[in-house]
Structure formats: C-alpha cells, structure tokens
Amino acid sequence: MTTTPEVLLQVAGLTVQFPGAQAPLTAVDHLSFDVRAGQTLAIVGESGSGKSVTAMAIMRLLDYTAGSVTEGSILLSGDDQLPQDIVRMDHETLRRLRGHRIAMIFQEPMTSLNPVFTVGWQIMESLMLHQQLSHAQARQAALVMLQKVRLPDAEQLLDRYPHQLSGGMRQRVMIAMALSCRPQLLIADEPTTALDVTIQAQILNIIREMQRELGTAVIFITHDMGVVAEMADEVVVMWRGRQVESGPVQQIFDAPRHPYTQTLLAAVPRLGSMRGQRYPHRAPIAVMQDDGQIQMTGTTSVQNTVQTGAPLLEVQGLSARFDVRRNMFGRVTHRVHAVEQVSFEIYPGETLAIVGESGSGKSTIGKTLQQLIMPSSGRILFNGRDVAGMDHAARRALKQEIQYVFQDPFASLDPRQTVGVSIAEPILTHHLLKGPSIEKRVAELLKGVGLSPAHAGRYPHEFSGGQRQRVCIARSLACNPKLIIADESVSALDVSIQAQIIDLLMDLQQQHGLSYLFISHDMAVVEQISHRVAVMFAGQIVEMGTRQQVFETPAHAYTRQLLAAVPVAVPGRKIDTSMMTHDIPSAIRRVGDDPAALILQELEPGHWVARRT
C-alpha cells in the first residue's frame, strides 16, 4: 500500500501586488497549490503570468523589490517542526532557510552570479555557511558539484569569474550552487533555458536522483512542455496572474479544459513534425486574446525564400583562440580553442542554424561575425567584401547590416534607459530617421514583437525575462538589417510567444529577404525554422546539411545524441540516457598542441559529415 507524501509547502490564496501609477498592479491573484516531498510541481504560463513572482514570494525575495504579499500564506513544513509561514518569518530565520532548506535556480545566471567573486568561491560560501565545512572541504565539494553538472575543466573553472564562462556554463554553475546544500525544496526558474538538450537531460537526471535520495520537492517553472511532461507530477497553469487550471500531468496533457492550456499545448513545436518536407513552413497560430477567446493568426506558406547565386556571407577557415595562462616570463602557455577551422556560407533569404553544446563555439562565431571578437585566423566575406580589409566607415556600415540578438536580454539592455530609447538607439546611431518618425517606428517594432507601444516608457527591470527578449528582437530589427544573428533568441520565451516570434521572423524573411544565423539548442525550433543546419562539437563542425538531411538522416554520432536527448511533450516517456555519456573535451590546450582538424566528407549533395584526419 502506497502512502501519499506529506505536504512540504502549502501556498494558500497568495496575492502579490506592485505599486502602479494609478492603482496597484496585481501580479499574482489568489494562487493556491501544495508541493509534496519528493514530487515535482510544474508552473507553466506565458511570460508575465506571475510564475517567477510566485517563486520570489516563496523565497521572500520580494522584500528587495517594490512588490509585496498582500494576501495569503506560504506554509513550510519539514524538519519535524510545525508549519512556518514564510510571509511572516523574521529575517534571521530566513537567512538560515535560504540555500539550506529552500534553494533557487534563477532564470538569468549572469545577473544572479556575483561578478567580483570566482564561481568556486560562490559555491563554497554556501557550503561553509550552512554545512560548516572547512575551506578545503568546501572546495572539494564545489569541485564535485561542478563535475556533476558536466562542466569540463571543473578544477580550473573553480578559479574563473562568471564573465569568463558561456551562458550555458554559467547556468550549470547556478545549478551546482543550488544543489550543493541538498535542499528540501528546490525552486527551478527556467533552469535549463540556456542548456543544450544533452546537458539538459543530464541536469534533469541529477534533479531526479536528488529527489529519490533525499525526498527533495521541486517547483519547476518552465515554458518547455517536453520538460514538463518528463519531470512533473502536478501542473499549475497560470495566465495573467491567475491560476486557470491545475491537475496531474497526464490529465493536463490528455484532456486540457481551459482555452489557454489548449493554446499552450497547441503551440509546442514537436520534433519530427516536418518529416518529408523540404522547406520550413509557416502555419496559423492560436493566440489567446485579452477576453479569453482564441484567435487564429498567421498564414500557411512554404518558406522557400533562399536566393541562389552569390552568398551574402562566407566564412572560410575561421578560428578563434583566447590566451588564458602565462608563465613567469609573460609568455602564453595555454589557449582556449573556442572555434577551429569553421567554414560555411549563408545566402540571401536563408536561415542557417548552428546547434551544439554550450561551450562548443556557437556564440563565439556569432560575436566574431559582429566584430565583437577578432578572429585568430580565417576570412569573413560579406557581399563578397573581406571584412578584414574594410576601413572604419565600411565596418560601421556593416554593423547596421548585421544585427545581433543576445542570449541574455537583461545584460544587453541598459538598465538606466527606457526600452523605447534602447530600440531607438540604432536608428539614431545610423541616422535612419528623425523626429516623430522615430517614435512611430519604435511603436511599430514593439507591436511587431507582441508588446504594446505603451511599453516604450518602461525600464528593463519592469519586464519579465521573456518580455525583455522581445525588446531585444525589436531593437535588432530597428535598422533594417540584411543578416540577423539570433543567439538563443527564443530560448527565454514561453511556447505561445515563441511560436509568434518564430512566425514573425519567418514573415520578415519573406517580406524583406532577411538572412538568419540561428544559434539554438532547441532542436524542435531549429527543425521548424531552418533551411540548413550545422552541428558543432568542441569548436568544430561535425555535420552540416539541409534541415531534412540532418534531422531525417543524421550521420554523425553526436547529431544522433542531440536528437535522442530532446524531451517530447508526452507524459511517461523516458529519455535513453545511455546515448549521453560522452565526455566533453577540454577547450584549453598548451600552445602548440592544436586539436586535430576535422575534414568534412560529402555523403550526398549538400550533406557533409566530419571524419578525423
């Protein structure tokens, strides 16, 4: 006979408000749910629905914002104590609670990690405070945690700072920090957003193992319905701050009752849904209106936008290396080989997707194309012109034609400027419009990415993570570029908004012949939007071909691993983790010890796979 696990956390009638110009803004409205020991509750909903605010209320982090809990209670049980109301808890008790009994993985790791301390010290601090470990013991425990989240060169990473790591690596550090004290309740706010699918599968396994060993309860906030299907026992669906549906995961997926839940599930991109189709295609999208009605938007069309002839962008033998260690005489002894001998081209109207693990060099390629990083070797040609041979004026003009949507929206927006000013900045910089025309253009761009023109007067901190990413996309479109480098541009968006943004990008491509370098770890989204796909591993391309070739007939073992790790929105289906046991090779090498070059062999026209020399 099975017993029902005890309730660890009970949220009852929770209401959270923020001060507004005319009246208080209700971010969470009478929310109630229970979290049981050893089980996972998933909270899903669009950005701005109150998911992260709920997590902040449970952690009592609203104390450091303008928000406050105006009604309700948050009762925490466990440790053989009577339930304690977190809302009314004193600060000394809270200090002992956070990190020890309740831990949180935040959505944006760069803004959550302290930039002036090494990542090792930030993990060690919690261990020394809550578990009374010595410095040496805490360092060893921190090393073990970094190894558990599959970070390469874990011992060296202990002494690095957050800005020296990629977005995905920073997120794994945050996860290691949250799990280090083995909390009773783990709040995971989009914990795998910045991670590729193989790392995501490993992290989810770590969380499951912790649940089995310690009976840890998990509140999982995510927009990835595949992860929800794989991890959750119970699901709470939120819309506009209110709980619109809740129940067991199987019931929510099999028989959703509320129109918003139905819309949410309909928007989930499904891997393999485009099998047999040569080109990406747009399809109508179900959108929930303010009055609760579902409206279909968009059209059905084949995305055959690629213009044959001369490529817009050519990359030939691109390498990017960074010096990381020197000897006592100042000579470089070790380098990070971020990108090695990468070659590809992008044609007008084409979307080339680059996929691979965090740290594989995807973002480094994008930043090199945008002239944010200087390449160590190789050539970059834009419209047939060598970027290295351009003068200052030509390079400045090139920055107008190549725009970048960064992975971390909060770090790429100026917190002192309204989003309207940030969007208008590239228009002013390149002298594209003047006077009232700028304000009109900003309003059009905000509407185009699903925001209101009234949002132009707000600051970045007043938006959710997904809303900030939409602002960044609007800014990238401001000066009518020819190529947009989208670095995880939809990773922070819930699936309904994600579907609208993808449809918007494809619509702009059809209208203006835009080209995209689409950097992503979401294989289902890549299948939906891309014309060609390049798979990267350890700084090199291991497979490249049309979307149909790479997804339907993957030739490289790593490509097959990526596809096998994709979570599917079917409750009860388990991922075969035996295909995800490979070690990540270190990108740090001694000077002169260059990695072995990979040569791409053509299997069929346009389909290339790497073989080692």
Side-chain angles (χ1 to χ4, degrees):
M1 178 175 151
T2 59
T3 58
T4 303
E6 67 174 30
V7 175
L8 180 66
L9 186 80
Q10 186 177 42
V11 176
L14 180 67
T15 300
V16 178
Q17 292 185 333
F18 290 83
Q22 281 80 36
L25 171 66
T26 303
V28 177
D29 192 359
H30 292 90
L31 175 65
S32 299
F33 59 79
D34 292 343
V35 184
R36 297 183 180 275
Q39 294 191 346
T40 301
L41 172 80
I43 303 179
V44 300
E46 64 185 20
S47 57
S49 63
K51 307 187 301 296
S52 295
V53 172
T54 300
M56 292 177 70
I58 295 171
M59 291 291 289
R60 268 281 293 277
L61 296 176
L62 289 175
D63 293 3
Y64 308 100
T65 71
S68 61
V69 175
T70 56
E71 290 184 51
S73 61
I74 304 171
L75 300 178
L76 179 68
S77 304
D79 277 0
D80 298 324
Q81 298 177 0
L82 292 174
Q84 296 175 285
D85 190 351
I86 293 175
V87 174
R88 293 160 183 84
M89 197 174 283
D90 63 82
H91 285 281
E92 182 58 30
T93 305
L94 272 173
R95 191 182 69 85
R96 295 194 299 267
L97 187 77
R98 294 194 195 109
H100 178 50
R101 293 185 62 197
I102 302 179
M104 183 168 176
I105 304 168
F106 293 91
Q107 184 174 356
E108 292 167 344
M110 191 59 187
T111 55
S112 306
L113 293 169
N114 193 323
V116 301
F117 291 107
T118 63
V119 296
W121 174 256
Q122 294 184 61
I123 299 173
M124 292 163 57
E125 183 182 24
S126 179
L127 290 164
M128 290 187 290
L129 174 65
H130 294 297
Q131 298 191 6
Q132 287 76 51
L133 299 184
S134 67
H135 185 278
Q137 290 172 327
R139 184 177 175 87
Q140 182 58 34
L143 174 62
V144 170
M145 289 309 304
L146 290 182
Q147 291 169 337
K148 271 196 170 187
V149 295
R150 296 184 69 242
L151 276 167
D153 300 307
E155 193 163 358
Q156 284 74 32
L157 285 179
L158 285 171
D159 299 316
R160 288 202 206 161
Y161 293 87
H163 72 272
Q164 296 175 298
L165 308 183
S166 71
M169 294 169 81
R170 287 193 292 262
Q171 188 66 289
R172 279 181 272 172
V173 169
M174 281 293 304
I175 292 168
M177 191 185 307
L179 298 180
S180 61
C181 289
R182 301 189 167 198
Q184 293 176 311
L185 175 64
L186 176 66
I187 303 173
D189 188 357
E190 303 283 4
T192 57
T193 289
L195 304 182
D196 64 274
V197 288
T198 55
I199 302 297
Q200 173 179 265
Q202 293 291 328
I203 295 301
L204 297 182
N205 281 337
I206 290 169
I207 294 174
R208 277 194 295 264
E209 286 171 9
M210 187 178 67
Q211 288 183 285
R212 286 193 294 267
E213 291 175 12
L214 307 173
T216 303
V218 177
I219 297 177
F220 215 99
I221 298 171
T222 183
H223 64 262
D224 190 330
M225 299 305 287
V227 171
V228 171
E230 184 183 338
M231 292 292 293
D233 299 295
E234 299 282 326
V235 180
V236 170
V237 183
M238 293 186 69
W239 183 64
R240 304 290 174 87
R242 302 184 72 102
Q243 178 179 327
V244 296
E245 189 165 358
S246 63
V249 62
Q250 194 78 47
Q251 176 185 312
I252 294 294
F253 276 79
D254 290 349
R257 295 182 178 179
H258 194 274
Y260 177 68
T261 312
Q262 297 166 4
T263 303
L264 202 61
L265 292 171
V268 176
R270 299 181 185 274
L271 191 68
S273 62
M274 297 184 64
R275 178 171 288 273
Q277 298 185 45
R278 184 178 178 184
Y279 299 109
H281 72 272
R282 296 173 60 202
I285 303 167
V287 178
M288 189 85 165
Q289 301 298 306
D290 293 343
D291 58 3
Q293 300 297 312
I294 295 177
Q295 179 181 343
M296 301 302 293
T297 64
T299 59
T300 300
S301 63
V302 175
Q303 198 76 2
N304 183 13
T305 55
V306 183
Q307 300 174 31
T308 57
L312 175 69
L313 176 78
E314 292 179 83
V315 175
Q316 301 173 354
L318 181 69
S319 294
R321 301 173 181 176
F322 308 101
D323 300 340
V324 290
R325 291 185 210 158
R326 298 176 184 269
N327 62 18
M328 61 184 296
F329 303 106
R331 293 176 182 170
V332 177
T333 60
H334 291 76
R335 290 192 176 107
V336 173
H337 292 252
V339 177
E340 282 293 319
Q341 297 295 316
V342 167
S343 300
F344 60 85
E345 61 280 327
I346 301 177
Y347 290 85
E350 182 182 36
T351 300
L352 172 68
I354 297 182
V355 299
E357 295 186 340
S358 61
S360 64
K362 307 186 303 293
S363 295
T364 301
I365 289 176
K367 291 173 183 176
T368 303
L369 298 180
Q370 183 67 348
Q371 306 173 61
L372 298 174
I373 294 174
M374 295 306 296
S376 303
S377 62
R379 299 176 71 205
I380 301 172
L381 289 82
F382 191 83
N383 271 334
R385 294 185 63 191
D386 192 337
V387 173
M390 291 181 178
D391 59 22
H392 178 74
R395 282 176 176 267
R396 182 182 175 87
L398 181 65
K399 290 182 178 179
Q400 176 189 339
E401 297 185 315
I402 302 178
Q403 288 292 303
Y404 205 111
V405 181
F406 290 91
Q407 182 176 351
D408 188 340
F410 196 71
S412 59
L413 291 171
D414 189 334
R416 299 167 300 176
Q417 292 184 341
T418 64
V419 298
V421 172
S422 292
I423 294 171
E425 189 173 17
I427 301 174
L428 292 165
T429 300
H430 296 288
H431 310 292
L432 301 178
L433 295 171
K434 293 182 179 180
S437 299
I438 296 177
E439 187 176 339
K440 182 179 178 182
R441 175 64 173 155
V442 169
E444 290 173 354
L445 290 164
L446 284 169
K447 288 175 66 178
V449 296
L451 295 173
S452 165
H455 288 144
R458 294 188 186 178
Y459 291 86
H461 71 272
E462 298 180 271
F463 294 88
S464 68
Q467 289 172 323
R468 283 195 287 266
Q469 191 64 290
R470 281 182 267 169
V471 171
C472 291
I473 293 171
R475 183 176 59 181
S476 74
L477 298 170
C479 53
N480 302 315
K482 293 181 180 177
L483 172 66
I484 291 180
I485 301 168
D487 189 351
E488 303 286 5
S489 59
V490 296
S491 64
L493 307 180
D494 65 272
V495 288
S496 56
I497 299 300
Q498 182 185 80
Q500 294 173 49
I501 293 298
I502 291 170
D503 184 70
L504 171 67
L505 293 174
M506 295 172 82
D507 183 36
L508 291 166
Q509 188 173 58
Q510 282 189 331
Q511 288 182 34
H512 307 293
L514 278 174
S515 299
Y516 298 116
L517 179 64
F518 195 82
I519 299 168
S520 180
H521 64 265
D522 192 326
M523 301 298 284
V525 170
V526 167
E527 183 186 33
Q528 185 178 352
I529 197 172
S530 60
H531 294 94
R532 286 190 302 129
V533 180
V535 182
M536 289 193 70
F537 180 72
Q540 301 190 59
I541 292 177
V542 297
E543 186 165 0
M544 183 163 57
T546 66
R547 177 199 52 75
Q548 191 173 8
Q549 289 168 336
V550 171
F551 279 85
E552 296 182 17
T553 57
H556 198 276
Y558 178 64
T559 309
R560 292 193 291 269
Q561 289 172 0
L562 281 179
L563 294 172
V566 176
V568 178
V570 179
R573 176 188 177 274
K574 300 299 181 183
I575 292 176
D576 180 10
T577 57
S578 64
M579 294 192 69
M580 291 162 266
T581 56
H582 68 278
D583 292 326
I584 304 172
S586 173
I588 301 176
R589 290 176 173 266
R590 287 184 175 275
V591 172
D593 179 26
D594 294 351
L598 298 177
I599 295 178
L600 295 178
Q601 181 179 7
E602 192 170 24
L603 300 181
E604 58 179 305
H607 190 185
W608 301 81
V609 67
R611 62 178 177 85
R612 191 173 295 277
T613 55

